Structure formats: C-alpha cells, structure tokens
Amino acid sequence: MTVKEVLRAHARHQAGHAGTQAGHAGTQAGHAGTQGARAGTQGARAECGNVRADTRAGDAGAREEGEGGPTSFAAPAATVAAGRAAQELGIRRAEFELAVHLGLIAVVGASGGGRPRVHEEEIARLRDQPGFPDGLAERVRTVGTAEGAALLDIAPARFTRLARAGCLSPVTFYLNRYRAVVWLYLADELAAFASREPELLAGRTPLGMRTMLESGADWRPRNWRSQRIDRLLNRTRDPWARTAVQASALDPVQLAEVVDDPYERAYLVRVRPEPVFGRPGSMAAREAMGELMLADDPDEILWRRVNLTLELDGAREDRPAPRPGDDGGIRTAPTILEGAGAGAAAGSRAGTAIAASIAEPTPPSVRPGASGTPAAGAPTGKGLLARLRWRGRGAG
C-alpha cells in the first residue's frame, strides 16, 4: 500500500468517526428536545390543572357568596304568642292586654287573622327599660273604688262622687256575678290627680259638682268611651278604620242616619275594632256590655255624629267602599285590635267576672247589583247640618 492510499484511509476513518460523533450528538440533542417537550407538556398540564383549580375555587367562592350573602327576601323577625310574652315580661295576661290597649306594648297581627303576636325585639326593649319588671307592672296596675279611695286617703263615697262627676276616668271595667259594672282605674292616674287637684280631696264639694251629681249625672261610661276611641284612633291612619272607630259609639239607628249607604255600613262592620274582653260571657252579659259601648247622652251622640261625618267624608275621598263583584283591586283597611277595651283584669278580680263583646248590628240586606246612589227625586248634596239631623232619645 502506497503512502497516498494510507493517507486516504486514515482521512476516511477520521471522517467516519466525526460523523459518528455528530450522530451521537444529534441523538443526544434529540433526546434532550424530547425531554424538553415532555417537560413543556407537563408544565402545560400543570398550568391547566392550576386554571381548573382556580376556576373551581372561584365557582365555590361564588356559590358561598351567593348562599351567605344578602338576599332579596329578609328573614321574618321572630315573634311569640301573647301568653309567652306576658310570662317573659313578668306580668299577668290581663295586665298584658291592658298594656297593649294603652299602647305600652306593640303587637303585630298574625297571618290568617289569628291572635296578635309580639316581636322578640319588643320584649327585649321592654326588659331593658329601667325598673323592669316592677316598672311595667306598676304602669298597668288598676284599682277599684275601695282600693282607689285608700290610695287617695278619702272615703269610698267621695271617690265615687269624684268619678261620677268626671274627675276620675276609668280605664276598663268588668261585670261581676250580679251583672253589675265594676269600674277600674289606673293607679298612676289617681296619683297624678291627687297631686293636681288636692283641694277636691278634702273640704266641701263644689256647688256645680253637687248640682250635677244631684241630677243623676254619671260621666264614667262617657269618659271610658272617649278614652277608648282616642286610643284606637291613635293606632291607625286608615280613613275607613278611623270611621269604623267613630261608628262603634252609635246605635244602628243613629249610624244609618249618618251613613246612608248600606255597602259602606257593611264595610264599617268589616273593619271595625275587634274588642278583646277576655272570657266570653252569656248573651245577657254581651247585651249589657254593648249598651255601655254606645253613646247615651244627647250632646255625646251629637258629638259622635259630627266626628263620624267628618271621618266618613275623608274616607270617601280616599277610596270608595267595596261593592259586590269588585275584583279585589280596592284595598281593605287593616284590622285594629283593641288590646283590652274592657274587662282586661276580670280574671284576677274577686267574683265571677263576665266579660263580653259587642253585638254588632247586621247591615240591612241589599239587592245584589243595586246601586248605592239615592233614588230618583231624592235630595242630593246634603250639607253637614242636614246629615246631622237626628231624633233625640225618647222623642216620638
């Protein structure tokens, strides 16, 4: 082999070795690229996993915010029954009803026309007042004639004369076993009267008062009715409900003379105050209670007719009374609860207290579809004085 052939073989060997190394280097580079690709794939997969995790976390957070966040419907406030409220306030049920009547305890009407209930916030407010529980019980403490006279340090006969003359106003009453009216007075009001009018507790009775008492006057029923009506009017702003409060003091004849529309009279019966007289009594006791609810003096009757007329005019301007066939578009007045109009303390007094509710007059039957407008030829546009014309009791 010549020198040239040896050099050529050595050159091919070196070239092949370099190619082999280059091939190895390429293989290694390819292997590194494959690993890089795999790493990139794993990174992408990890990134996707993180995105999914973030998405799931966001959805969970959104669900938690939707469930725990404020909603459009607020949860109703918790209420308790009247019996439980009285127990938590440390007063008797009769005292609780009287406190509602006086406006000392706020109640809410139950759904479906059930008995009124009391918010737990109202109970907490009353419990936080200074002097609880004796303070609330003292504000609703009632006394009869004997206990009231002892409180004022006067004779029971003088106490009765002051009450008959209108100096002392009863807050409630009940019927004893003999169906006699027993008036009850707030102890706080008696103490206020003693400090305001000390000259009436001793000495001779004023001449004008003696004359009035000798004529047989007794202002106790009238003062009770007046205070009851004022308290009920303060608890509502609905025009028709206020009209029904005024109408509750007039008998059916007087009411028909002022409210000549039978549909309006029927509506007043629907929205009239609901009396709460405690235990139900006999029919005779209900009739006796009903008599005390009605104005019986000519000037009192005229005063109630004037107030009823003014309230009725305002109610008619606000909205008409519903008629048969109305689709319910006319809103009805809310029911007013008369917390303890009479006989609230009957269950805790000596004797058998006969409590009763008012026998409401039944509205005259009206032919369906008949209009409430005056008949042809009847006078229209009556003034206030014409609408107040009435026959006095005992007139022929």
Side-chain angles (χ1 to χ4, degrees):
M1 177 179 297
T2 62
V3 176
K4 292 181 179 180
E5 291 176 349
V6 173
L7 292 174
R8 290 192 194 100
H10 182 68
R12 285 196 299 270
H13 179 72
Q14 288 180 345
H17 182 68
T20 301
Q21 290 180 347
H24 285 302
T27 301
Q28 291 177 355
H31 183 66
T34 302
Q35 290 180 347
R38 289 176 180 174
T41 303
Q42 291 177 355
R45 289 176 179 174
E47 184 68 22
C48 292
N50 292 335
V51 172
R52 293 192 186 99
D54 293 341
T55 304
R56 287 194 297 268
D59 293 341
R63 286 195 297 270
E64 291 179 0
E65 183 179 358
E67 294 173 357
T71 58
S72 58
F73 298 97
T79 60
V80 298
R84 179 182 171 186
Q87 183 178 5
E88 293 186 6
L89 294 175
I91 57 179
R92 296 172 299 180
R93 181 62 181 269
E95 294 173 335
F96 174 85
E97 293 178 353
L98 182 57
V100 173
H101 175 64
L102 297 177
L104 303 178
I105 301 177
V107 297
V108 293
S111 58
R115 291 184 174 273
R117 300 175 66 85
V118 185
H119 282 298
E120 291 184 350
E121 291 82 358
E122 177 69 7
I123 297 178
R125 180 187 68 84
L126 294 171
R127 292 176 65 91
D128 291 339
Q129 290 183 349
F132 177 84
D134 297 335
L136 180 60
E138 185 63 25
R139 295 176 68 183
V140 295
R141 185 167 73 94
T142 56
V143 294
T145 299
E147 191 176 356
L151 184 63
L152 299 181
D153 196 17
I154 59 177
R158 191 181 188 94
F159 183 94
T160 301
R161 290 197 300 269
L162 291 174
R164 287 180 54 198
C167 300
L168 306 175
S169 299
V171 68
T172 184
F173 64 87
Y174 68 93
L175 297 182
N176 61 14
R177 66 180 66 187
Y178 306 107
R179 293 175 54 189
V181 176
V182 179
W183 295 104
L184 300 174
Y185 308 82
L186 283 176
D188 280 352
E189 291 187 355
L190 296 184
F193 170 78
S195 61
R196 187 177 62 251
E197 303 288 348
E199 65 277 2
L200 294 178
L201 303 180
R204 292 178 58 85
T205 303
L207 178 60
M209 185 181 299
R210 291 202 308 269
T211 303
M212 181 175 59
L213 293 175
E214 290 172 358
S215 65
D218 189 352
W219 279 68
R220 288 175 295 182
R222 180 170 181 173
N223 283 345
W224 175 81
R225 284 190 293 266
S226 178
Q227 288 190 357
R228 167 187 172 271
I229 290 175
D230 291 342
R231 290 187 178 109
L232 291 176
L233 290 176
N234 290 333
R235 295 171 60 180
T236 180
R237 291 294 178 266
D238 183 84
W240 283 102
R242 295 177 61 88
T243 305
V245 171
Q246 297 287 357
S248 65
L250 294 177
D251 61 28
V253 176
Q254 301 288 343
L255 181 61
E257 291 180 356
V258 179
V259 187
D260 53 0
D261 189 337
Y263 295 115
E264 292 179 341
R265 292 199 299 273
Y267 189 49
L268 292 178
V269 172
R270 286 173 51 189
V271 300
R272 72 184 184 272
E274 179 183 350
V276 181
F277 291 136
R279 302 176 183 177
S282 63
M283 182 58 65
R286 294 174 183 267
E287 293 176 356
M289 287 288 188
E291 288 295 326
L292 287 176
M293 297 288 295
L294 301 178
D296 56 1
D297 191 76
D299 61 339
E300 183 188 2
I301 294 175
L302 180 60
W303 176 248
R304 292 303 167 198
R305 287 171 65 105
V306 170
N307 287 302
L308 174 60
T309 302
L310 297 177
E311 292 287 356
L312 180 62
D313 290 342
R316 287 170 174 171
E317 293 178 0
D318 181 75
R319 66 182 186 274
R323 303 278 169 162
D326 286 346
D327 57 359
I330 301 178
R331 56 186 175 91
T332 58
T335 302
I336 310 172
L337 297 176
E338 181 191 342
S348 61
R349 301 293 168 186
T352 304
I354 306 174
S357 60
I358 306 173
E360 295 290 344
T362 304
S365 58
V366 184
R367 184 174 66 255
S371 63
T373 57
T380 59
K382 292 184 291 183
L384 176 61
L385 295 179
R387 294 163 61 187
L388 290 176
R389 283 203 307 267
W390 60 284
R391 297 183 300 274
R393 294 180 183 268

PDB file of all heavy atoms in Angstrom, residues 7 30 39 41 45 50 58 63 72 78 108 125 139 145 153-154 180 182 220 233 240 255 266 272 306 312 340 359 390:
ATOM      1  N   LEU A   7      -2.842   7.477   3.581  1.00  0.00           N
ATOM      2  CA  LEU A   7      -3.378   8.788   3.990  1.00  0.00           C
ATOM      3  C   LEU A   7      -4.905   8.875   3.700  1.00  0.00           C
ATOM      4  O   LEU A   7      -5.671   9.420   4.498  1.00  0.00           O
ATOM      5  CB  LEU A   7      -2.621   9.901   3.286  1.00  0.00           C
ATOM      6  CG  LEU A   7      -1.141  10.067   3.720  1.00  0.00           C
ATOM      7  CD1 LEU A   7      -0.454  11.106   2.828  1.00  0.00           C
ATOM      8  CD2 LEU A   7      -1.023  10.430   5.186  1.00  0.00           C
ATOM      9  N   GLY A  30     -31.579  15.328  20.196  1.00  0.00           N
ATOM     10  CA  GLY A  30     -32.975  14.922  20.011  1.00  0.00           C
ATOM     11  C   GLY A  30     -33.584  14.412  21.309  1.00  0.00           C
ATOM     12  O   GLY A  30     -34.724  14.694  21.631  1.00  0.00           O
ATOM     13  N   ALA A  39     -41.259  17.974  29.306  1.00  0.00           N
ATOM     14  CA  ALA A  39     -41.341  18.936  30.411  1.00  0.00           C
ATOM     15  C   ALA A  39     -42.333  20.047  30.095  1.00  0.00           C
ATOM     16  O   ALA A  39     -43.106  20.493  30.949  1.00  0.00           O
ATOM     17  CB  ALA A  39     -39.962  19.535  30.685  1.00  0.00           C
ATOM     18  N   THR A  41     -44.890  19.778  28.101  1.00  0.00           N
ATOM     19  CA  THR A  41     -46.239  19.200  28.172  1.00  0.00           C
ATOM     20  C   THR A  41     -46.713  19.100  29.618  1.00  0.00           C
ATOM     21  O   THR A  41     -47.849  19.432  29.961  1.00  0.00           O
ATOM     22  CB  THR A  41     -46.248  17.830  27.507  1.00  0.00           C
ATOM     23  OG1 THR A  41     -45.789  17.970  26.164  1.00  0.00           O
ATOM     24  CG2 THR A  41     -47.653  17.224  27.529  1.00  0.00           C
ATOM     25  N   ARG A  45     -49.731  20.892  31.310  1.00  0.00           N
ATOM     26  CA  ARG A  45     -50.774  20.173  32.057  1.00  0.00           C
ATOM     27  C   ARG A  45     -50.919  20.755  33.464  1.00  0.00           C
ATOM     28  O   ARG A  45     -52.030  20.911  33.988  1.00  0.00           O
ATOM     29  CB  ARG A  45     -50.425  18.693  32.136  1.00  0.00           C
ATOM     30  CG  ARG A  45     -50.560  17.972  30.780  1.00  0.00           C
ATOM     31  CD  ARG A  45     -50.102  16.539  30.913  1.00  0.00           C
ATOM     32  NE  ARG A  45     -50.240  15.835  29.621  1.00  0.00           N
ATOM     33  CZ  ARG A  45     -49.791  14.584  29.416  1.00  0.00           C
ATOM     34  NH1 ARG A  45     -49.190  13.929  30.405  1.00  0.00           N
ATOM     35  NH2 ARG A  45     -49.961  14.014  28.242  1.00  0.00           N
ATOM     36  N   ASN A  50     -53.865  24.085  37.271  1.00  0.00           N
ATOM     37  CA  ASN A  50     -53.994  25.259  38.135  1.00  0.00           C
ATOM     38  C   ASN A  50     -55.184  26.111  37.723  1.00  0.00           C
ATOM     39  O   ASN A  50     -55.899  26.665  38.551  1.00  0.00           O
ATOM     40  CB  ASN A  50     -52.714  26.089  38.089  1.00  0.00           C
ATOM     41  CG  ASN A  50     -51.543  25.353  38.738  1.00  0.00           C
ATOM     42  OD1 ASN A  50     -51.747  24.496  39.582  1.00  0.00           O
ATOM     43  ND2 ASN A  50     -50.328  25.682  38.309  1.00  0.00           N
ATOM     44  N   GLY A  58     -63.023  29.585  42.292  1.00  0.00           N
ATOM     45  CA  GLY A  58     -63.850  30.758  42.028  1.00  0.00           C
ATOM     46  C   GLY A  58     -65.321  30.423  42.050  1.00  0.00           C
ATOM     47  O   GLY A  58     -66.143  31.159  42.587  1.00  0.00           O
ATOM     48  N   ARG A  63     -70.395  30.494  44.854  1.00  0.00           N
ATOM     49  CA  ARG A  63     -71.534  29.842  45.494  1.00  0.00           C
ATOM     50  C   ARG A  63     -71.648  30.239  46.953  1.00  0.00           C
ATOM     51  O   ARG A  63     -72.730  30.474  47.467  1.00  0.00           O
ATOM     52  CB  ARG A  63     -71.409  28.320  45.356  1.00  0.00           C
ATOM     53  CG  ARG A  63     -71.711  27.801  43.956  1.00  0.00           C
ATOM     54  CD  ARG A  63     -71.922  26.301  43.987  1.00  0.00           C
ATOM     55  NE  ARG A  63     -70.722  25.582  44.418  1.00  0.00           N
ATOM     56  CZ  ARG A  63     -69.774  25.145  43.591  1.00  0.00           C
ATOM     57  NH1 ARG A  63     -69.883  25.367  42.285  1.00  0.00           N
ATOM     58  NH2 ARG A  63     -68.726  24.494  44.053  1.00  0.00           N
ATOM     59  N   SER A  72     -82.704  38.994  48.579  1.00  0.00           N
ATOM     60  CA  SER A  72     -83.743  40.000  48.369  1.00  0.00           C
ATOM     61  C   SER A  72     -84.889  39.848  49.361  1.00  0.00           C
ATOM     62  O   SER A  72     -85.674  40.756  49.537  1.00  0.00           O
ATOM     63  CB  SER A  72     -84.282  39.898  46.931  1.00  0.00           C
ATOM     64  OG  SER A  72     -84.779  38.597  46.697  1.00  0.00           O
ATOM     65  N   ALA A  78     -88.630  37.106  64.476  1.00  0.00           N
ATOM     66  CA  ALA A  78     -89.255  36.105  65.327  1.00  0.00           C
ATOM     67  C   ALA A  78     -90.289  36.771  66.229  1.00  0.00           C
ATOM     68  O   ALA A  78     -90.057  37.851  66.771  1.00  0.00           O
ATOM     69  CB  ALA A  78     -88.198  35.395  66.166  1.00  0.00           C
ATOM     70  N   VAL A 108     -98.242  42.739  66.664  1.00  0.00           N
ATOM     71  CA  VAL A 108     -98.434  42.608  65.223  1.00  0.00           C
ATOM     72  C   VAL A 108     -99.523  41.574  64.995  1.00  0.00           C
ATOM     73  O   VAL A 108     -99.641  40.599  65.738  1.00  0.00           O
ATOM     74  CB  VAL A 108     -97.124  42.200  64.508  1.00  0.00           C
ATOM     75  CG1 VAL A 108     -96.099  43.307  64.582  1.00  0.00           C
ATOM     76  CG2 VAL A 108     -96.550  40.923  65.107  1.00  0.00           C
ATOM     77  N   ARG A 125     -86.718  45.161  74.284  1.00  0.00           N
ATOM     78  CA  ARG A 125     -86.749  46.593  74.580  1.00  0.00           C
ATOM     79  C   ARG A 125     -87.395  46.863  75.937  1.00  0.00           C
ATOM     80  O   ARG A 125     -86.899  47.678  76.737  1.00  0.00           O
ATOM     81  CB  ARG A 125     -87.524  47.330  73.483  1.00  0.00           C
ATOM     82  CG  ARG A 125     -87.611  48.842  73.681  1.00  0.00           C
ATOM     83  CD  ARG A 125     -88.540  49.477  72.666  1.00  0.00           C
ATOM     84  NE  ARG A 125     -89.916  49.098  72.894  1.00  0.00           N
ATOM     85  CZ  ARG A 125     -90.723  49.704  73.768  1.00  0.00           C
ATOM     86  NH1 ARG A 125     -90.273  50.710  74.496  1.00  0.00           N
ATOM     87  NH2 ARG A 125     -91.980  49.315  73.912  1.00  0.00           N
ATOM     88  N   ARG A 139     -97.222  50.428  85.913  1.00  0.00           N
ATOM     89  CA  ARG A 139     -97.896  51.306  84.951  1.00  0.00           C
ATOM     90  C   ARG A 139     -99.253  50.772  84.535  1.00  0.00           C
ATOM     91  O   ARG A 139    -100.094  51.540  84.051  1.00  0.00           O
ATOM     92  CB  ARG A 139     -97.008  51.503  83.720  1.00  0.00           C
ATOM     93  CG  ARG A 139     -95.715  52.226  84.000  1.00  0.00           C
ATOM     94  CD  ARG A 139     -94.830  52.300  82.773  1.00  0.00           C
ATOM     95  NE  ARG A 139     -95.399  53.160  81.746  1.00  0.00           N
ATOM     96  CZ  ARG A 139     -94.842  53.335  80.542  1.00  0.00           C
ATOM     97  NH1 ARG A 139     -93.721  52.720  80.231  1.00  0.00           N
ATOM     98  NH2 ARG A 139     -95.412  54.137  79.670  1.00  0.00           N
ATOM     99  N   THR A 145    -112.910  50.863  93.469  1.00  0.00           N
ATOM    100  CA  THR A 145    -113.321  52.011  94.274  1.00  0.00           C
ATOM    101  C   THR A 145    -112.688  51.987  95.662  1.00  0.00           C
ATOM    102  O   THR A 145    -112.132  52.993  96.124  1.00  0.00           O
ATOM    103  CB  THR A 145    -114.845  52.034  94.395  1.00  0.00           C
ATOM    104  OG1 THR A 145    -115.430  52.160  93.089  1.00  0.00           O
ATOM    105  CG2 THR A 145    -115.303  53.202  95.245  1.00  0.00           C
ATOM    106  N   ASP A 153    -106.570  58.363 100.094  1.00  0.00           N
ATOM    107  CA  ASP A 153    -106.829  58.681 101.501  1.00  0.00           C
ATOM    108  C   ASP A 153    -108.136  59.459 101.657  1.00  0.00           C
ATOM    109  O   ASP A 153    -108.217  60.479 102.353  1.00  0.00           O
ATOM    110  CB  ASP A 153    -105.661  59.464 102.105  1.00  0.00           C
ATOM    111  CG  ASP A 153    -105.707  59.480 103.628  1.00  0.00           C
ATOM    112  OD1 ASP A 153    -106.429  58.631 104.199  1.00  0.00           O
ATOM    113  OD2 ASP A 153    -105.050  60.354 104.241  1.00  0.00           O
ATOM    114  N   ILE A 154    -109.187  58.987 100.978  1.00  0.00           N
ATOM    115  CA  ILE A 154    -110.510  59.583 101.084  1.00  0.00           C
ATOM    116  C   ILE A 154    -111.517  58.461 101.295  1.00  0.00           C
ATOM    117  O   ILE A 154    -111.193  57.270 101.146  1.00  0.00           O
ATOM    118  CB  ILE A 154    -110.882  60.407  99.829  1.00  0.00           C
ATOM    119  CG1 ILE A 154    -110.859  59.515  98.584  1.00  0.00           C
ATOM    120  CG2 ILE A 154    -109.944  61.592  99.663  1.00  0.00           C
ATOM    121  CD1 ILE A 154    -111.276  60.231  97.311  1.00  0.00           C
ATOM    122  N   ALA A 180    -123.373  43.550  87.589  1.00  0.00           N
ATOM    123  CA  ALA A 180    -123.143  44.956  87.909  1.00  0.00           C
ATOM    124  C   ALA A 180    -121.784  45.374  87.371  1.00  0.00           C
ATOM    125  O   ALA A 180    -120.814  44.611  87.424  1.00  0.00           O
ATOM    126  CB  ALA A 180    -123.197  45.179  89.422  1.00  0.00           C
ATOM    127  N   VAL A 182    -118.312  46.971  87.298  1.00  0.00           N
ATOM    128  CA  VAL A 182    -117.244  47.296  88.251  1.00  0.00           C
ATOM    129  C   VAL A 182    -116.168  48.048  87.474  1.00  0.00           C
ATOM    130  O   VAL A 182    -115.505  47.486  86.610  1.00  0.00           O
ATOM    131  CB  VAL A 182    -116.662  46.034  88.902  1.00  0.00           C
ATOM    132  CG1 VAL A 182    -115.537  46.404  89.868  1.00  0.00           C
ATOM    133  CG2 VAL A 182    -117.751  45.244  89.606  1.00  0.00           C
ATOM    134  N   ARG A 220    -118.750  58.324  84.107  1.00  0.00           N
ATOM    135  CA  ARG A 220    -117.805  57.213  83.992  1.00  0.00           C
ATOM    136  C   ARG A 220    -117.916  56.486  82.651  1.00  0.00           C
ATOM    137  O   ARG A 220    -116.886  56.289  81.980  1.00  0.00           O
ATOM    138  CB  ARG A 220    -118.002  56.248  85.170  1.00  0.00           C
ATOM    139  CG  ARG A 220    -117.509  56.801  86.495  1.00  0.00           C
ATOM    140  CD  ARG A 220    -117.829  55.866  87.641  1.00  0.00           C
ATOM    141  NE  ARG A 220    -119.271  55.744  87.848  1.00  0.00           N
ATOM    142  CZ  ARG A 220    -119.815  55.014  88.813  1.00  0.00           C
ATOM    143  NH1 ARG A 220    -119.048  54.323  89.655  1.00  0.00           N
ATOM    144  NH2 ARG A 220    -121.133  54.964  88.956  1.00  0.00           N
ATOM    145  N   LEU A 233    -108.009  55.555  67.736  1.00  0.00           N
ATOM    146  CA  LEU A 233    -107.690  56.459  66.628  1.00  0.00           C
ATOM    147  C   LEU A 233    -106.191  56.703  66.517  1.00  0.00           C
ATOM    148  O   LEU A 233    -105.673  56.897  65.409  1.00  0.00           O
ATOM    149  CB  LEU A 233    -108.427  57.787  66.811  1.00  0.00           C
ATOM    150  CG  LEU A 233    -109.949  57.750  66.633  1.00  0.00           C
ATOM    151  CD1 LEU A 233    -110.537  59.120  66.946  1.00  0.00           C
ATOM    152  CD2 LEU A 233    -110.323  57.313  65.225  1.00  0.00           C
ATOM    153  N   TRP A 240    -110.961  54.536  56.576  1.00  0.00           N
ATOM    154  CA  TRP A 240    -112.146  53.740  56.850  1.00  0.00           C
ATOM    155  C   TRP A 240    -112.081  53.097  58.234  1.00  0.00           C
ATOM    156  O   TRP A 240    -113.117  52.939  58.899  1.00  0.00           O
ATOM    157  CB  TRP A 240    -112.340  52.676  55.769  1.00  0.00           C
ATOM    158  CG  TRP A 240    -112.903  53.240  54.512  1.00  0.00           C
ATOM    159  CD1 TRP A 240    -112.238  53.542  53.362  1.00  0.00           C
ATOM    160  CD2 TRP A 240    -114.274  53.611  54.286  1.00  0.00           C
ATOM    161  NE1 TRP A 240    -113.089  54.071  52.429  1.00  0.00           N
ATOM    162  CE2 TRP A 240    -114.347  54.120  52.964  1.00  0.00           C
ATOM    163  CE3 TRP A 240    -115.425  53.571  55.062  1.00  0.00           C
ATOM    164  CZ2 TRP A 240    -115.540  54.578  52.412  1.00  0.00           C
ATOM    165  CZ3 TRP A 240    -116.623  54.015  54.523  1.00  0.00           C
ATOM    166  CH2 TRP A 240    -116.669  54.515  53.206  1.00  0.00           C
ATOM    167  N   LEU A 255    -126.436  55.307  63.335  1.00  0.00           N
ATOM    168  CA  LEU A 255    -125.449  55.019  62.295  1.00  0.00           C
ATOM    169  C   LEU A 255    -126.071  55.085  60.903  1.00  0.00           C
ATOM    170  O   LEU A 255    -125.478  55.631  59.963  1.00  0.00           O
ATOM    171  CB  LEU A 255    -124.838  53.638  62.541  1.00  0.00           C
ATOM    172  CG  LEU A 255    -123.758  53.186  61.555  1.00  0.00           C
ATOM    173  CD1 LEU A 255    -122.570  54.126  61.574  1.00  0.00           C
ATOM    174  CD2 LEU A 255    -123.318  51.763  61.874  1.00  0.00           C
ATOM    175  N   ALA A 266    -121.821  48.090  55.796  1.00  0.00           N
ATOM    176  CA  ALA A 266    -121.283  46.730  55.848  1.00  0.00           C
ATOM    177  C   ALA A 266    -119.759  46.749  55.900  1.00  0.00           C
ATOM    178  O   ALA A 266    -119.140  45.928  56.595  1.00  0.00           O
ATOM    179  CB  ALA A 266    -121.770  45.936  54.641  1.00  0.00           C
ATOM    180  N   ARG A 272    -114.238  47.313  61.630  1.00  0.00           N
ATOM    181  CA  ARG A 272    -114.416  47.884  62.970  1.00  0.00           C
ATOM    182  C   ARG A 272    -113.388  47.291  63.930  1.00  0.00           C
ATOM    183  O   ARG A 272    -112.866  46.195  63.693  1.00  0.00           O
ATOM    184  CB  ARG A 272    -115.827  47.615  63.481  1.00  0.00           C
ATOM    185  CG  ARG A 272    -116.072  46.160  63.854  1.00  0.00           C
ATOM    186  CD  ARG A 272    -117.506  45.926  64.269  1.00  0.00           C
ATOM    187  NE  ARG A 272    -117.726  44.569  64.716  1.00  0.00           N
ATOM    188  CZ  ARG A 272    -118.043  43.561  63.916  1.00  0.00           C
ATOM    189  NH1 ARG A 272    -118.187  43.783  62.619  1.00  0.00           N
ATOM    190  NH2 ARG A 272    -118.219  42.357  64.404  1.00  0.00           N
ATOM    191  N   VAL A 306    -121.001  64.168  64.613  1.00  0.00           N
ATOM    192  CA  VAL A 306    -120.149  65.149  63.930  1.00  0.00           C
ATOM    193  C   VAL A 306    -118.813  64.518  63.557  1.00  0.00           C
ATOM    194  O   VAL A 306    -118.339  64.632  62.411  1.00  0.00           O
ATOM    195  CB  VAL A 306    -119.952  66.397  64.813  1.00  0.00           C
ATOM    196  CG1 VAL A 306    -118.878  67.303  64.216  1.00  0.00           C
ATOM    197  CG2 VAL A 306    -121.257  67.150  64.970  1.00  0.00           C
ATOM    198  N   LEU A 312    -116.049  60.136  57.769  1.00  0.00           N
ATOM    199  CA  LEU A 312    -116.639  59.492  56.602  1.00  0.00           C
ATOM    200  C   LEU A 312    -116.336  60.272  55.333  1.00  0.00           C
ATOM    201  O   LEU A 312    -116.036  59.675  54.285  1.00  0.00           O
ATOM    202  CB  LEU A 312    -118.154  59.347  56.805  1.00  0.00           C
ATOM    203  CG  LEU A 312    -118.929  58.686  55.671  1.00  0.00           C
ATOM    204  CD1 LEU A 312    -118.456  57.248  55.466  1.00  0.00           C
ATOM    205  CD2 LEU A 312    -120.431  58.715  55.972  1.00  0.00           C
ATOM    206  N   ALA A 340    -107.289  45.679  75.184  1.00  0.00           N
ATOM    207  CA  ALA A 340    -108.064  45.293  76.368  1.00  0.00           C
ATOM    208  C   ALA A 340    -109.100  46.361  76.611  1.00  0.00           C
ATOM    209  O   ALA A 340    -109.055  47.098  77.579  1.00  0.00           O
ATOM    210  CB  ALA A 340    -107.168  45.133  77.580  1.00  0.00           C
ATOM    211  N   ALA A 359    -122.410  43.247  70.486  1.00  0.00           N
ATOM    212  CA  ALA A 359    -123.250  42.663  69.448  1.00  0.00           C
ATOM    213  C   ALA A 359    -123.404  43.686  68.340  1.00  0.00           C
ATOM    214  O   ALA A 359    -124.131  44.656  68.469  1.00  0.00           O
ATOM    215  CB  ALA A 359    -124.619  42.281  70.026  1.00  0.00           C
ATOM    216  N   TRP A 390    -131.146  64.411  63.773  1.00  0.00           N
ATOM    217  CA  TRP A 390    -131.419  63.133  64.423  1.00  0.00           C
ATOM    218  C   TRP A 390    -132.493  63.345  65.458  1.00  0.00           C
ATOM    219  O   TRP A 390    -132.719  64.407  65.973  1.00  0.00           O
ATOM    220  CB  TRP A 390    -130.162  62.556  65.069  1.00  0.00           C
ATOM    221  CG  TRP A 390    -129.564  63.450  66.123  1.00  0.00           C
ATOM    222  CD1 TRP A 390    -128.844  64.577  65.918  1.00  0.00           C
ATOM    223  CD2 TRP A 390    -129.659  63.282  67.524  1.00  0.00           C
ATOM    224  NE1 TRP A 390    -128.464  65.131  67.099  1.00  0.00           N
ATOM    225  CE2 TRP A 390    -128.936  64.354  68.114  1.00  0.00           C
ATOM    226  CE3 TRP A 390    -130.246  62.338  68.362  1.00  0.00           C
ATOM    227  CZ2 TRP A 390    -128.812  64.492  69.481  1.00  0.00           C
ATOM    228  CZ3 TRP A 390    -130.118  62.483  69.719  1.00  0.00           C
ATOM    229  CH2 TRP A 390    -129.417  63.543  70.263  1.00  0.00           C
TER     230      TRP A 390
END
